Amino acid sequence: MQVPPFSLTKQLSELGNDLEVAVSRVIQSGQFIGGDEVKTFEDSFAKSIGIDYSVGCNSGTDALVLALRALDIGIGDEVITSSFSFFATAEAISAVGAKPVFVDVDPCNYLIDLNLIEQAITSSTKAILPVHLFGCPVDMKTLNAIAKKNGLKVIEDCAQAAGAEYEGMAVGSWGDIGCFSFFPTKNLGGVGDGGAVTTRDAGLAKRMRELAVHGMPARYLHTQLGYNSRLDALQAAVLNVKLPKLKYWVKKRQQIAQRYIDLLEDLPGLDLPKYSSDMNTSHAWNQFVVRVTDFSIKAKETDAPKVRKSLYYDRLNNDNNARDEFKDALLRKGVNTIIYYPIPIHLQPAYESLGFSVGDLPITEMLCGQVLSLPIFPEISEEQQEYVSLMIRNLFS
């Protein structure tokens, strides 16, 4: 059996007619930029988050840039965030001229370690940028208290967490601004790039909307240097079809995650996600990430090709580790997995100027050498999940 890490085949088949009607409607209207489809989505998405304003943009990365710009964060400023994330989290901070300040993560939930934030604050710190990684919400009540105490803004990176909640409130509604991605693999994905920012502040919403169209509050009047970062009407039409399904898809992901936990618990050498559903907190499970802490490939498979070393492992001067052998062994059984993320941001060549060395963020670096995402998408079958779990159990037996 071949099991992909992610597939849209069944979803697109089920939504096919509705998607075709929506796309055809946009094409026939001739309104490809802005218009009713975009406004409908922005209003519906804001309502789903439980806030007043949502502004569509070109991507999740642009959403972060627009948020930072709207909060007047730029040259000489510092933003505290996590190095265990996709590169865009820090890249957006650098793109506006500010400096990303990385703190380590909690080894249990992989989220920014709230106990380390205050010691990283300096006179140049202007904001905290928490990442709801893999769909797991950060403890926003505690983080907001830290931000308020120190006079800092909060920008939520919700790229992987559409549909997640903390204490009954959607992610993207806790901070000053929430930033979402609609990349096709996300819980709410389009058929190309797309993103949105969410806020309760009318002034911030207005500024981000203007920044997204060349700093233009009125036609041909440019009051600031902005960007060409509009949500495409075709993408909005697709998202309008998909948004009503989001809660159902997240529930399916939660069921799939629980099934993995039931099938794989107590395997020595394989750490499953540690997540508490206390306080009405809802994980959106964009990824189901395990840690491979101990794995020795079977003798009969030792002649199999090895996984190619990454730059990160070259830098650590290590051989392929247990996780790499495990990933390679699963691939030979038809189970496709993905590593999020093999190289922490602070050790990326692009950030060499920050002067980080191996060992500076030990938990983040440890996780980058151990984590692996198992196949997860709402349409994965129980048979596929059982096969994945059986192959994993066989490899550990």
Side-chain angles (χ1 to χ4, degrees):
M1 181 183 292
Q2 294 291 320
V3 185
F6 176 80
S7 174
L8 283 169
T9 301
K10 187 174 180 181
Q11 183 184 117
L12 293 177
S13 175
E14 291 174 347
L15 298 177
N17 290 338
D18 291 339
L19 290 172
E20 287 181 13
V21 169
V23 170
S24 177
R25 183 170 63 243
V26 173
I27 293 173
Q28 291 176 21
S29 74
Q31 198 167 39
F32 305 121
I33 306 298
D36 293 341
E37 292 288 350
V38 175
K39 186 179 187 311
T40 296
F41 175 72
E42 290 177 338
D43 291 346
S44 299
F45 191 63
K47 184 177 180 180
S48 75
I49 300 298
I51 45 85
D52 297 319
Y53 305 100
S54 169
V55 180
C57 61
N58 185 60
S59 67
T61 304
D62 280 9
L64 291 167
V65 171
L66 293 172
L68 290 158
R69 281 286 307 275
L71 293 171
D72 293 317
I73 294 170
I75 297 173
D77 296 332
E78 294 178 352
V79 179
I80 296 172
T81 192
S82 167
S83 175
F84 191 45
S85 180
F86 181 59
F87 188 72
T89 300
E91 183 182 33
I93 297 170
S94 299
V96 300
K99 176 185 176 182
V101 175
F102 300 115
V103 299
D104 220 339
V105 295
D106 185 316
C108 293
N109 58 24
Y110 314 153
L111 305 177
I112 189 168
D113 191 332
L114 302 179
N115 296 314
L116 301 178
I117 290 178
E118 287 201 271
Q119 65 192 57
I121 296 173
T122 72
S123 60
S124 297
T125 307
K126 294 296 185 292
I128 308 172
L129 204 166
V131 183
H132 302 297
L133 194 68
F134 307 138
C136 185
V138 172
D139 176 352
M140 291 304 299
K141 183 174 285 186
T142 300
L143 188 141
N144 278 353
I146 295 171
K148 183 177 180 180
K149 175 184 174 183
N150 292 278
L152 303 177
K153 300 297 185 181
V154 175
I155 301 169
E156 297 178 71
D157 186 337
C158 310
Q160 299 177 353
E165 296 180 350
Y166 178 76
E167 291 198 355
M169 288 173 52
V171 297
S173 69
W174 283 89
D176 293 279
I177 300 173
C179 302
F180 291 83
S181 168
F182 304 127
F183 190 78
T185 59
K186 299 300 192 288
N187 291 358
L188 179 64
V191 288
D193 272 321
V197 286
T198 57
T199 184
R200 300 180 187 278
D201 188 302
L204 289 177
K206 180 176 183 294
R207 187 170 186 203
M208 288 187 288
R209 189 175 298 282
E210 292 171 6
L211 282 168
V213 286
H214 305 286
M216 189 168 60
R219 192 168 180 82
Y220 299 127
L221 172 65
H222 305 270
T223 57
Q224 58 191 318
L225 297 177
Y227 310 91
N228 180 12
S229 183
R230 296 166 290 201
L231 179 64
D232 189 293
L234 286 170
Q235 296 300 333
V238 170
L239 293 168
N240 280 327
V241 172
K242 288 190 170 189
L243 182 58
K245 308 284 187 182
L246 178 60
K247 284 187 177 180
Y248 169 74
W249 288 334
V250 169
K251 183 169 181 162
K252 289 290 292 182
R253 287 177 177 274
Q254 291 168 342
Q255 293 170 348
I256 292 162
Q258 186 58 55
R259 188 177 301 123
Y260 270 136
I261 291 170
D262 293 341
L263 291 169
L264 296 172
E265 60 184 353
D266 300 327
L267 269 181
L270 187 72
D271 287 359
L272 301 181
K274 296 178 178 63
Y275 164 69
S276 173
S277 58
D278 294 344
M279 300 182 296
N280 196 29
T281 302
S282 175
H283 195 316
W285 296 106
N286 183 245
Q287 300 296 333
F288 187 89
V289 177
V290 300
R291 285 175 59 197
V292 184
T293 58
D294 183 20
F295 175 76
S296 297
I297 202 163
K298 290 181 178 180
K300 66 182 180 181
E301 295 179 346
T302 54
D303 58 345
K306 294 284 189 179
V307 179
R308 186 178 65 187
K309 292 181 182 178
S310 73
L311 174 65
Y312 174 56
Y313 294 119
D314 290 342
R315 192 164 180 178
L316 286 178
N317 196 29
N318 283 341
D319 292 327
N320 291 319
N321 63 1
R323 188 272 313 281
D324 291 327
E325 291 189 344
F326 179 68
K327 175 179 173 59
D328 194 47
L330 279 179
L331 182 60
R332 293 195 297 276
K333 302 297 183 182
V335 177
N336 291 263
T337 59
I338 300 178
I339 299 171
Y340 299 103
Y341 297 93
I343 310 173
I345 300 175
H346 70 281
L347 293 181
Q348 291 283 356
Y351 280 117
E352 190 170 358
S353 62
L354 294 182
F356 280 97
S357 299
V358 171
D360 285 345
L361 298 177
I363 303 302
T364 294
E365 293 167 27
M366 175 189 71
L367 293 175
C368 285
Q370 294 180 341
V371 295
L372 189 74
S373 179
L374 301 184
I376 185 167
F377 47 97
E379 297 79 20
I380 191 172
S381 68
E382 289 189 28
E383 181 184 14
Q384 287 175 310
Q385 265 199 282
E386 288 170 358
Y387 178 78
V388 171
S389 302
L390 178 61
M391 293 303 100
I392 290 173
R393 286 198 165 275
N394 288 345
L395 288 172
F396 275 98
S397 62

